[in-house]
Amino acid sequence: NEFTVRPIPKQIHQITVETYLTPVQFMLTTDSPIINQWAQYIAIGAAKKILRDRQDMDGVANLEVFFKELIYKIKNHFCSN
């Protein structure tokens, strides 16, 4: 988690590092979400983003109820386990 450049440069140099992070839960052998609600959560989140991009705030407000309900279910799922 630390880089050391030696000798200390006299000029400014740009250092670019490309990293990859794979969360452990995605390394399982199945392609299904950890819990079924994730698929709905992702779909509703994507729909909200599209509606926001189209400036359809009424549509975003309609989805917000479902979105909050899913967040509640997901939190309860993880808190109960």
Side-chain angles (χ1 to χ4, degrees):
N1 295 343
E2 185 177 302
F3 292 97
T4 306
V5 178
R6 299 276 188 227
I8 298 173
K10 293 181 181 176
Q11 298 177 351
I12 296 174
H13 299 278
Q14 179 179 348
I15 297 175
T16 304
V17 178
E18 189 172 328
T19 63
Y20 297 94
L21 177 66
T22 304
V24 175
Q25 64 265 30
F26 296 125
M27 295 178 72
L28 300 174
T29 57
T30 66
D31 288 338
S32 345
I34 301 168
I35 56 174
N36 292 333
Q37 286 92 345
W38 281 120
Q40 291 176 334
Y41 179 81
I42 292 167
I44 292 175
K48 282 178 57 177
K49 171 75 171 109
I50 291 168
L51 290 171
R52 260 193 227 109
D53 290 347
R54 295 179 180 175
Q55 299 181 351
D56 181 357
M57 293 305 141
D58 291 335
V60 173
N62 289 337
L63 288 177
E64 192 64 30
V65 176
F66 299 113
F67 199 69
K68 286 181 180 180
E69 184 181 313
L70 281 172
I71 290 172
Y72 178 79
K73 286 180 182 178
I74 290 169
K75 283 182 181 178
N76 284 342
H77 174 82
F78 282 111
C79 290
S80 66
N81 290 335

